Amino acid sequence: MRMPRDCLARMSFLRRTSRVLLVFCSLLPALAAPKVKHTTPVDGVYTGAITIDAATGAVLFEDNADGQNPPASMTKLMTFAVVHDKLADGTITLQTPVPITAQDASMGGTQVYLDPRETFSVEELLYAMMIQSANDAAHALARAAAGSTPAFVELMNAKARSLGMNQSTFRTPHGLPPPSRRIADGDLTTPRDFSLLCRYLIMNTDVLKYTSIRERDFGPNRAKGPQHMRNHNNLLGKIPGVDGLKTGYTASAGYCLSATAERNGRRVITVIMGSFGPGRQIDKGRARDLKAVELIEQGFAAAPAPMPAVKTLAPAPKPAALGAPAPTNSPAAIPTVKTDKTEQSSTTTEPVLKFRVIPPEQKP
């Protein structure tokens, strides 16, 4: 006995519907499950690091701080130190014109594309070297300050010795690797040595005037228009108080960073060298920057609080001459000292990071 066509159609429809429902039900657990975000690990590797208190030089953290490593473009901080000495002794001024040579223009790497037909002031080249990390600007400054690159490099090493940087050797004003590509033939330093240089610059020069700038145009009167420069220090404007100093990277040096920050009258300096991502990945300095932030925060947690300012309201009296009678109408004068607790740092007070912890739910 054959079933009517309408019954067969209804049974076929029910079978197809049941199959769709089974498939949908099987997908429900997957649809209901929360999405998992896969984040890139941030724990990288580095050859050495150190954090110091800028006011005292006290070491707040160190990890293989005496291990040698190429500083890459951080070398330009020593170039700045020597140029500053030449500015101080009057050999050059910020307005001294520096005609560009073919050798300056041939440096390669990061640059402001100097042309032998151009001339720039020392000040403009300093901005290019510290913001853009321009190798051509560093080479031009070395020539202007010492007459030749070899003579300038001698001054760099003499400066290093005077600062106690006994594990450092400089061979270039810019930090580019040597033609041999042998690490031993290039610039070498240690995190501890470099922290001495950073502290010297902060305490004795106007280096922060240059390193704190995030963006600036170079060569407003150039034939092809100015070049827009952007600071390579990713911590500027993102981490409270950070206003310097210098980054660096080459394949042999890894990612390097000398960073400094000031908060509420306290300043710390962190140097990290030879950094890479997990498994020595080329990570554009991400692991380096995150480690530097961690060390800065730890540094402020460990750094001693600044001493309160002390003001003398009345000068101490001049001592009486030997044998002179004591004054009869006034008591013995004692200098009055007042502690002014309201005096603040010259920099803007930075916000304090607060973390809200939710207590566990109480069971009835």
Side-chain angles (χ1 to χ4, degrees):
M1 179 180 172
R2 294 183 177 179
M3 296 181 67
R5 285 186 177 180
D6 58 336
C7 290
L8 290 171
R10 281 196 294 269
M11 290 179 65
S12 177
F13 173 78
L14 288 173
R15 280 197 297 269
R16 288 197 300 270
T17 304
S18 64
R19 290 194 193 102
V20 172
L21 287 173
L22 285 172
V23 172
F24 178 78
C25 290
S26 67
L27 291 174
L28 279 177
L31 293 171
K35 293 182 179 179
V36 178
K37 293 182 178 180
H38 297 281
T39 57
T40 304
V42 297
D43 290 332
V45 296
Y46 57 88
T47 59
I50 193 171
T51 303
I52 66 171
D53 177 71
T56 65
V59 175
L60 308 175
F61 168 88
E62 62 177 289
D63 184 4
N64 194 34
D66 297 307
Q68 280 191 321
N69 196 83
S73 279
M74 290 200 313
T75 298
K76 295 180 178 78
L77 288 178
M78 179 56 83
T79 300
F80 184 94
V82 175
V83 171
H84 183 271
D85 285 348
K86 290 300 181 178
L87 288 167
D89 68 17
T91 301
I92 54 175
T93 70
L94 290 176
Q95 288 71 44
T96 296
V98 182
I100 304 304
T101 68
Q103 191 177 14
D104 298 332
S106 67
M107 286 298 101
T110 306
Q111 53 190 309
V112 285
Y113 304 99
L114 297 178
D115 189 286
R117 294 166 292 183
E118 296 177 310
T119 297
F120 294 98
S121 69
V122 166
E123 185 172 37
E124 280 299 301
L125 293 173
L126 281 172
Y127 278 116
M129 181 177 73
M130 303 309 292
I131 299 173
Q132 183 70 9
S133 193
N135 299 315
D136 46 3
H139 191 272
L141 284 167
R143 276 194 314 98
S148 69
T149 302
F152 189 85
V153 169
E154 285 186 16
L155 295 176
M156 293 174 74
N157 286 298
K159 190 70 175 180
R161 298 291 88 77
S162 71
L163 296 177
M165 300 172 66
N166 298 320
Q167 301 301 315
S168 300
T169 302
F170 294 95
R171 294 184 171 91
T172 74
H174 39 64
L176 286 170
S180 67
R181 300 295 169 176
R182 292 179 65 248
I183 291 177
D185 294 340
D187 304 299
L188 283 173
T189 189
T190 70
R192 191 185 310 279
D193 273 12
F194 220 78
S195 71
L196 298 177
L197 172 61
C198 294
R199 182 169 182 251
Y200 165 81
L201 290 173
I202 290 169
M203 304 291 284
N204 298 279
T205 77
D206 60 348
V207 68
L208 299 179
K209 165 187 170 182
Y210 301 90
T211 64
S212 61
I213 296 177
R214 296 177 67 185
E215 297 184 43
R216 193 176 193 271
D217 283 343
F218 174 79
N221 300 319
R222 302 180 94 176
K224 295 182 179 179
Q227 177 178 340
H228 188 66
M229 302 185 296
R230 190 183 301 274
N231 203 309
H232 299 182
N233 186 349
N234 299 320
L235 275 55
L236 288 173
K238 298 178 182 178
I239 306 302
V242 171
D243 49 9
L245 288 162
K246 191 73 188 67
T247 64
Y249 170 78
T250 64
S252 57
Y255 295 96
C256 304
L257 174 63
S258 297
T260 184
E262 184 182 20
R263 299 177 188 172
N264 302 322
R266 299 160 67 188
R267 180 177 288 279
V268 299
I269 299 166
T270 288
V271 179
I272 181 169
M273 303 184 71
S275 176
F276 290 95
R280 295 184 64 82
Q281 293 176 1
I282 306 298
D283 65 349
K284 297 184 178 180
R286 184 170 183 268
R288 171 201 65 188
D289 292 347
L290 290 171
K291 187 64 179 180
V293 171
E294 176 189 334
L295 295 179
I296 288 171
E297 299 300 334
Q298 289 179 355
F300 279 117
M307 296 296 292
V310 177
K311 291 185 177 180
T312 302
L313 299 184
K318 294 181 179 180
L322 289 175
T328 56
N329 297 329
S330 61
I334 301 174
T336 303
V337 178
K338 180 182 178 182
T339 301
D340 187 350
K341 296 183 179 179
T342 62
E343 187 163 328
Q344 297 180 350
S345 165
S346 59
T347 58
T348 306
T349 301
E350 300 295 345
V352 178
L353 299 178
K354 295 183 179 180
F355 297 90
R356 181 170 175 264
V357 180
I358 302 175
E361 200 174 328
Q362 299 292 333
K363 294 183 180 181

